[in-house]
Amino acid sequence: MAPTFGKCFTFCCAKTSPEGDEMATESYEAAIKGLNDLLSKKTDLGNVAAEKIKVLTQELKELDSSNNDAVERIKSGFTHFKTEKYLKNDALFSDLAKGQSPKFLVFACSDSRVCPSHILNFQPGEAFVVRNIANMVPPFDQKRHSGVGAAVEYAVVHLKVENIVVIGHSCCGGIKGLMSIEDDAAPTQSDFIENWVKIGAPARNKIKEENQDLSYDDQCNKCEKEAVNVSLGNLLSYPFVRAAVVKNTLAIRGAHYNFVKGTFDLWELDFKTTPAYAFS
Amino acid sequence: MVVSSISRKKPSLYNALAKSQNPKFLVFACSDSRVSPSHILNFQPGEAFEIRNIANMVPLFDKTQHSGAGAAMEYPITKLNVENILVIGHSRCGGIKALMSIEDDAAPNKSVFIENWVKIGTSAKNKIKEEFKDLSFEEQCTHCEKEAVNVTLGNLLSYPFVRERVEKGKLALRGAHYDFVDGTFELWELDVKTTPAFAFS
């Protein structure tokens, strides 16, 4: 399989690559010739071929329209942004072109319904955002979790954000996946999902123990919030986070967005050292 | 705190979304505060499953070292059946700049995590440094921002659940570059097809 890059669009002008089209025509013609040759020898296959060709034609129609739809959607989306935001906020975008200084590092789920730009109305430049399944922050691990580590390191050490917010949400598929794992030792049913959501295992264990009488859905709801707390605790396993929190230059908060009820809960992680005793 | 105007103005959308999501797009974008896909492509709630990380990278399939990226793709592709993957690079990317600043891949890292992560794009860096020796560092970075998207598109194919769907024509892969200095957006596609096999006898 040889991937090639084709059909480059620059909005507002679209360019297409002719070489790809010629190759496609040649392979199509060869395929049709092959089919005709076969059917001329085996005429009883005609009806079967006709049915399959109808299905294929329909699939190709849908594919074509869905490809066109996708490109059109992207194009119209960018056009809207450019005319309604970019060109109307010259000063802001001139500043942002030079650099960013967001005050927030936000962890949110990748779920299509919970973008922080929507739910908290963050404008360009305000929030450095990490989005992953179930808005998890794993504990410090240079080998297994370099992705999250890099984002936290860049935001805290280089951009010097003042706030970290971890936002959980209702009906979270990742948390549901976590709560569905009955036996941690059993082989996983997915390639990746279970291993990732198991970051929140302490939350699941706590909820299952303390809320045995609740329905599964209610337990999931509690776990969505408790898993945020596990992530908040994991943040403290990063030395550069700990250093900034101890110096009071960084605040850590958890949140839960419920799109069924239309509510947003926010809480803080209080981290302080009590006066030490000096024995003599 | 109660969510304000948007959900009150579109109750039917939010009622539907409360039950389930059915996004058509899986979008990879950088965590940079200036490049939220909801802004730059006007995605509404429910339209796009988004993964945001440093320099919008997707590493090669690796269950041990990259479960986060794998999980974030496995869910939308195998459970939500998204039809399009879009990887968006951008101008003035700090992650790409960090990648391009690595002079010697074998030298010890100066950062705790950042270099190890951005090294996912090493083949892009090497290609740009070789082909564009005469350009300034900044111009090389711009080229690398786009080439790194291509590396990521290639890495996507190392995931069997991506490959299967791409081969069947159920999943389209596209790369993009958002330039907030010029106000432009480039979009390109990854064409993946198998040519007819030869049968030797």
Side-chain angles (χ1 to χ4, degrees):
Chain A
M1 212 186 332
T4 58
F5 298 100
K7 297 194 222 116
C8 179
F9 301 92
T10 299
F11 301 133
C12 299
C13 65
K15 299 171 227 169
T16 53
S17 132
E19 299 87 36
D21 292 342
E22 278 169 26
M23 276 175 61
T25 306
E26 279 167 25
S27 63
Y28 158 76
E29 282 172 0
I32 293 290
K33 182 176 186 301
L35 180 62
N36 278 333
D37 287 347
L38 175 67
L39 291 177
S40 64
K41 287 175 201 154
K42 302 215 170 171
T43 49
D44 53 317
L45 289 178
N47 285 338
V48 173
E51 286 310 307
K52 286 192 186 265
I53 290 169
K54 280 183 203 160
V55 170
L56 175 65
T57 306
Q58 185 55 31
E59 277 178 18
L60 288 174
K61 265 191 208 160
E62 282 165 19
L63 178 69
D64 184 54
S65 89
S66 99
N67 274 345
N68 287 341
D69 286 344
V71 173
E72 276 310 308
R73 176 63 192 84
I74 293 167
K75 182 177 178 182
S76 68
F78 182 70
T79 303
H80 184 274
F81 163 71
K82 179 121 186 224
T83 48
E84 298 301 320
K85 273 191 131 75
Y86 187 85
L87 293 173
K88 290 186 179 174
N89 289 286
D90 199 48
L92 169 65
F93 284 93
S94 295
D95 279 344
L96 291 179
K98 294 172 200 146
Q100 56 170 336
S101 56
K103 292 211 184 319
F104 291 89
L105 161 59
V106 176
F107 285 86
C109 185
S110 294
D111 190 300
S112 64
R113 301 166 285 190
V114 304
C115 178
S117 306
H118 293 138
I119 67 183
L120 297 180
N121 198 30
F122 281 125
Q123 297 306 303
E126 285 199 274
F128 195 83
V129 177
V130 175
R131 295 185 71 182
N132 61 38
I133 296 285
N135 43 273
M136 299 255 174
V137 181
F140 184 103
D141 188 328
Q142 283 177 291
K143 181 155 189 208
R144 292 169 65 213
H145 295 300
S146 57
V148 171
V152 177
E153 185 180 6
Y154 191 74
V156 172
V157 176
H158 296 272
L159 298 179
K160 299 187 179 6
V161 294
E162 296 167 8
N163 303 277
I164 301 182
V165 189
V166 180
I167 311 176
H169 73 94
S170 51
C171 309
C172 182
I175 296 296
K176 193 170 168 193
L178 169 65
M179 291 291 287
S180 305
I181 301 169
E182 307 242 333
D183 177 3
D184 281 330
T188 58
Q189 292 170 2
S190 61
D191 280 339
F192 292 99
I193 299 174
E194 280 149 294
N195 276 336
W196 174 255
V197 297
K198 275 178 182 175
I199 291 169
R204 177 202 64 194
N205 296 342
K206 181 177 180 187
I207 296 305
K208 286 208 165 187
E209 204 179 286
E210 291 178 5
N211 298 283
Q212 283 165 27
D213 301 330
L214 288 186
S215 70
Y216 179 73
D217 280 348
D218 284 343
Q219 287 185 345
C220 283
N221 184 262
K222 283 196 183 280
C223 191
E224 286 155 8
K225 299 179 188 176
E226 191 57 31
V228 167
N229 289 338
V230 170
S231 286
L232 296 182
N234 286 345
L235 276 168
L236 295 173
S237 70
Y238 294 77
F240 34 82
V241 171
R242 232 166 29 235
V245 167
V246 161
K247 272 194 271 182
N248 273 325
T249 53
L250 181 62
I252 302 187
R253 295 180 177 89
H256 185 263
Y257 165 48
N258 187 323
F259 48 67
V260 182
K261 297 185 185 165
T263 57
F264 190 91
D265 293 339
L266 181 70
W267 61 95
E268 299 195 7
L269 182 72
D270 284 332
F271 180 85
K272 56 182 180 276
T273 51
T274 47
Y277 291 100
F279 299 103
S280 55
Chain B
M1 219 188 290
V2 175
V3 169
S4 67
S5 52
I6 301 179
S7 65
R8 288 209 190 108
K9 285 180 182 166
K10 296 183 186 175
S12 59
L13 169 65
Y14 283 84
N15 284 340
L17 291 178
K19 294 176 190 129
S20 64
Q21 56 171 333
N22 187 23
K24 293 215 181 321
F25 290 91
L26 163 56
V27 178
F28 289 87
C30 187
S31 295
D32 191 300
S33 63
R34 303 166 283 188
V35 304
S36 164
S38 301
H39 292 140
I40 66 183
L41 296 181
N42 197 32
F43 281 126
Q44 297 305 302
E47 284 198 276
F49 197 88
E50 290 180 22
I51 298 168
R52 293 186 68 183
N53 62 36
I54 296 281
N56 41 276
M57 298 239 176
V58 177
L60 284 169
F61 183 106
D62 185 329
K63 287 195 196 185
T64 308
Q65 293 196 74
H66 293 299
S67 62
M73 293 204 300
E74 189 177 12
Y75 187 75
I77 293 170
T78 67
K79 313 276 181 214
L80 301 180
N81 294 310
V82 290
E83 299 167 1
N84 302 277
I85 299 184
L86 178 62
V87 180
I88 312 175
H90 72 95
S91 51
R92 308 276 159 95
C93 182
I96 295 297
K97 193 174 164 188
L99 169 65
M100 290 292 285
S101 303
I102 300 169
E103 307 238 335
D104 177 2
D105 285 330
N109 290 331
K110 296 177 201 162
S111 63
V112 180
F113 290 101
I114 297 173
E115 279 147 298
N116 272 338
W117 175 255
V118 296
K119 275 180 179 173
I120 291 169
T122 294
S123 53
K125 174 194 77 170
N126 294 340
K127 182 177 180 188
I128 298 306
K129 289 213 167 188
E130 198 177 293
E131 289 182 11
F132 297 102
K133 287 187 188 108
D134 301 329
L135 293 186
S136 70
F137 180 72
E138 270 185 15
E139 284 165 324
Q140 288 182 346
C141 283
T142 301
H143 282 281
C144 192
E145 286 154 10
K146 299 178 191 179
E147 192 56 34
V149 167
N150 290 338
V151 169
T152 281
L153 291 175
N155 286 351
L156 283 169
L157 294 172
S158 69
Y159 294 76
F161 46 80
V162 172
R163 225 166 36 234
E164 283 161 18
R165 286 163 176 79
V166 168
E167 280 171 12
K168 285 189 211 162
K170 303 244 180 251
L171 183 58
L173 304 185
R174 296 183 179 88
H177 185 262
Y178 164 50
D179 186 327
F180 49 69
V181 182
D182 294 340
T184 57
F185 190 91
E186 270 181 58
L187 179 70
W188 61 93
E189 298 193 9
L190 180 71
D191 286 333
V192 180
K193 56 182 177 278
T194 49
T195 46
F198 291 99
F200 299 103
S201 55

